[in-house]
Amino acid sequence: AQTTVDNSKHWAQTDAYDADSANNRGVRQTMVRRSRYETGNNGFVDGLMRTHATFVIRKGPKLKLINRNDEERKANQERYARIKHDWSTWCKKIQFRRKLWCMAHAKLQDGEPIAIVRTNSNLNHIVKLDVVVIETEQCQSPLLPWGQEGYIDGIRFDEFGNPEHYDILPQHPGSANFFQSFDAEEVPAKYVLHWFEMERPGQHRGIPGLKATLGLGAVGRRWREA
């Protein structure tokens, strides 16, 4: 616990912030940009990301219907076959496996993929449910009240810390068609799929999985070139 002349520089960047303050918007944006840059310029990291996403998602989810006994299985065999067919067709129509793979990749690269469950009337299927995947930057609060309890960038919570709604921008802030908008859509939490690793109590936003090794790729490339 001692701070000495020898270790003072090593511990100079420590802080006493809580999880959400330590991972505020500025910190997350810097880390996400660097993580994406490293993924795009380091073949080892790119391969690691793709291998991880493929290993986690594989061919995508399959529907399994459980029967209590053989009699029930035989009686419901035709109905179950129809349900499985409809499920498989729906997955193909919304490209479910592709979206899940993208989310698994973004989970490691960006720290938190986000998807919104919406009704898509243009979907050529009896089930109009669709899953819209967005990037972490699109979940933010343009006019976040300072010091408001139960509210962090992009998420509003109840008294128990459970998300009530997410603030979703209509477009990605980095889009060429983006214009500064202060009207974020308040999407109820039950329609939002927010996938991140909660490493600290009270943490509500994710950070890239490369956080501890972001600088190693650049050092390695310089060494190989030298």
Side-chain angles (χ1 to χ4, degrees):
Q2 295 180 352
T3 301
T4 65
V5 176
D6 296 328
N7 68 14
S8 59
K9 289 185 178 180
H10 181 81
W11 302 115
Q13 300 301 319
T14 60
D15 60 62
Y17 295 140
D18 68 356
D20 287 334
S21 298
N23 300 328
N24 60 55
R25 184 193 300 179
V27 170
R28 284 184 285 106
Q29 285 182 346
T30 299
M31 295 181 72
V32 167
R33 290 169 185 169
R34 292 177 179 177
S35 180
R36 289 174 183 165
Y37 181 87
E38 195 61 33
T39 302
N41 291 274
N42 188 325
F44 297 104
V45 174
D46 185 33
L48 184 150
M49 297 280 189
R50 291 174 176 272
T51 301
H52 172 77
T54 302
F55 178 80
V56 172
I57 304 302
R58 297 181 182 270
K59 293 183 178 180
K62 293 183 178 179
L63 191 65
K64 185 176 182 180
L65 302 172
I66 306 299
N67 299 279
R68 289 175 293 184
N69 50 55
D70 290 340
E71 270 185 36
E72 186 177 271
R73 180 181 60 81
K74 291 179 181 178
N76 296 323
Q77 191 169 4
E78 184 178 344
R79 185 166 63 95
Y80 286 175
R82 186 172 65 253
I83 293 174
K84 287 183 177 181
H85 176 267
D86 290 342
W87 159 264
S88 178
T89 304
W90 175 79
C91 287
K92 290 179 181 179
K93 289 293 183 181
I94 71 165
Q95 302 182 45
F96 198 29
R97 191 267 174 190
R98 182 182 183 183
K99 293 176 180 178
L100 290 176
W101 190 96
C102 180
M103 292 182 70
H105 187 278
K107 164 68 168 54
L108 194 57
Q109 176 183 260
D110 303 343
E112 52 168 15
I114 298 173
I116 304 173
V117 180
R118 295 189 184 277
T119 300
N120 182 357
S121 58
N122 296 323
L123 195 63
N124 185 22
H125 194 272
I126 188 173
V127 178
K128 302 300 182 181
L129 198 67
D130 203 350
V131 178
V132 181
V133 182
I134 64 174
E135 289 195 303
T136 175
E137 293 94 338
Q138 206 167 333
C139 177
Q140 61 175 266
S141 306
L143 295 175
L144 180 64
W146 175 258
Q148 184 169 344
E149 187 177 356
Y151 212 157
I152 66 168
D153 181 39
I155 311 176
R156 173 76 182 194
F157 305 94
D158 61 17
E159 57 182 318
F160 302 104
N162 301 311
E164 289 185 335
H165 72 256
Y166 287 74
D167 293 334
I168 305 298
L169 297 179
Q171 293 175 317
H172 192 289
S175 169
N177 300 321
F178 177 78
F179 62 94
Q180 185 61 41
S181 173
F182 300 105
D183 298 323
E185 179 186 2
E186 294 185 0
V187 180
K190 64 180 180 179
Y191 298 123
V192 178
L193 309 177
H194 187 195
W195 185 11
F196 73 99
E197 196 78 27
M198 189 173 72
E199 298 177 334
R200 294 179 56 182
Q203 179 182 347
H204 298 103
R205 298 297 299 261
I207 51 178
L210 298 178
K211 58 186 180 298
T213 56
L214 274 174
L216 293 183
V219 173
R221 285 196 296 277
R222 287 197 297 268
W223 181 80
R224 288 194 301 273
E225 290 171 1

